[in-house]
Amino acid sequence: MRFAIIGTSAIARRFASCIRTMPNASLAAVYSRSKLKADTFAASYTGCLAFDTLQQIADCELVDAVYVASPTAYHAFHSISMLEALKHVLCEKPLASNSKELQRMFDAAHTNKRVLLEAMRPMFMPSTELIASKIASIEPVRQVKLHYCQYSSRYDDFKQGKIENAFDPNLSNGALMDIGVYVVHMLMRFFGPPQSILASDIKLSNGIDGAGSVIASYPTMQASLVYSKIGDSVAWNEIIGEQGTILFDHLGCPRTVHVALRGKDPENYQVQNLEEDMYYELNKFIQLCAVPQEAQSFNQYSRQTLMVLDQIRAQVKIEFSADLL
């Protein structure tokens, strides 16, 4: 499958590097509003074209699919433009700024018979499937604790008065959308939408959220979610059931899983995810492009996640320009 990339950020370079490891994928083009940035990016990849207009990608017959790595505020526009050009779309997380945008994106995918998939890396990793397969052994589940706290490489600049994309509310960014989306998506993957939530956050000087927490309530279970871009955490994630407990390490890329069943010796698993861990989402995306209807099994979690993100933002009063469209 021949890919174009919208964006030239660090995550775009990681994606391009991953493509190099795959026999069934190639990089055909890259887009940036800056022709210089596009040319510089493309120069590192043999046969990669450099574009500075979206129409060039839309018209390019050498492009089968597009990886959207632009800021969140542009995800809907870029994805819909490419879907209408009959390109499959793999879009960075979060898939959209809100549920209304997301519905327009899925409508475009359905109308044009193309795949739209959220590039949520942990969802496609073997370790996540392992964790999911062990939940039944500890049921009924009573409590869940999920953490993702990572000090942003852009935060020091922010404190010096330089606002990078990651801390710009005009781009539908912030801790919830950039980091919190991981913990919410993981909760949806394992347990589906909660009955209710109680959310709080920490606002920074420009009004954007730097960290937050959520209590998600279910009929017989409660989940605690913690996320941050202004501090690190070494806490393990935990799923607590009446018959045992599941522990796993870094939520963005789980590698170590412990299953402790009541009255039994602990089960310890070391999952050796590939170094190029975007491989899993990319490989699944290519498979789904052959059977677009099967993408729904993953898209349901994206729908549920955006619904919960909308609810959290309403409670903590995070508003985006995209909400007015």
Side-chain angles (χ1 to χ4, degrees), residues 169-186:
N170 294 318
L171 298 178
S172 302
N173 281 337
L176 175 64
M177 302 299 279
D178 190 32
I179 297 292
V181 63
Y182 283 105
V183 290
V184 173
H185 204 116
M186 188 71 80

Side-chain angles (χ1 to χ4, degrees), residues 25-259:
S26 61
L27 183 59
V30 63
Y31 159 84
S32 172
R33 291 175 297 175
S34 164
K35 187 61 163 63
L36 177 60
K37 287 184 178 180
D39 285 337
T40 302
F41 189 105
S44 300
Y45 306 95
T46 303
C48 181
L49 301 172
F51 295 145
D52 61 356
T53 71
L54 293 174
Q55 194 60 47
Q56 288 173 299
I57 299 180
D59 293 340
C60 185
E61 296 182 355
L62 298 176
V63 173
D64 304 308
V66 178
Y67 171 59
V68 176
S70 53
T72 303
Y74 302 118
H75 284 181
F77 173 67
H78 287 158
S79 296
I80 291 171
S81 296
M82 295 301 105
L83 291 165
E84 291 178 342
L86 302 183
K87 315 294 186 185
H88 299 290
V89 173
L90 178 63
C91 181
E92 258 308 316
K93 56 79 191 166
L95 201 47
S97 298
N98 54 51
S99 295
K100 291 188 299 182
E101 278 192 347
L102 185 64
Q103 187 57 54
R104 294 197 295 270
M105 294 163 74
F106 281 139
D107 287 346
H110 177 76
T111 298
N112 293 287
K113 296 180 173 59
R114 291 297 182 270
V115 168
L116 170 64
L117 188 70
E118 184 173 20
M120 176 59 68
R121 284 181 298 121
M123 289 303 102
F124 304 96
M125 291 181 178
S127 48
T128 300
E129 291 304 310
L130 172 64
I131 296 164
S133 72
K134 296 297 181 179
I135 290 176
S137 67
I138 66 166
E139 290 180 336
V141 173
R142 296 306 191 186
Q143 292 179 298
V144 178
K145 302 175 183 180
L146 301 178
H147 308 81
Y148 197 156
C149 301
Q150 181 174 293
Y151 190 94
S152 172
S153 60
R154 304 289 188 268
Y155 186 45
D156 288 338
D157 286 341
F158 178 89
K159 290 187 288 186
Q160 297 300 317
K162 183 180 179 182
I163 309 300
E164 303 279 4
N165 286 356
F167 290 95
D168 186 350
N170 294 318
L171 298 178
S172 302
N173 281 337
L176 175 64
M177 302 299 279
D178 190 32
I179 297 292
V181 63
Y182 283 105
V183 290
V184 173
H185 204 116
M186 188 71 80
L187 184 68
M188 297 306 103
R189 168 63 180 84
F190 292 152
F191 302 106
Q195 279 191 335
S196 64
I197 63 165
L198 179 62
S200 65
D201 70 355
I202 299 172
K203 297 288 198 312
L204 303 182
S205 57
N206 67 339
I208 202 165
D209 60 314
S213 61
V214 179
I215 299 297
S217 297
Y218 294 77
T220 61
M221 184 191 88
Q222 188 178 75
S224 171
L225 312 179
V226 177
Y227 56 91
S228 176
K229 290 173 67 69
I230 56 177
D232 293 317
S233 172
V234 296
W236 283 59
N237 301 282
E238 190 171 18
I239 303 173
I240 303 169
E242 291 187 8
Q243 302 304 314
T245 300
I246 299 171
L247 288 165
F248 60 98
D249 60 351
H250 197 290
L251 188 142
C253 183
R255 296 181 183 277
T256 303
V257 180
H258 300 302
V259 181

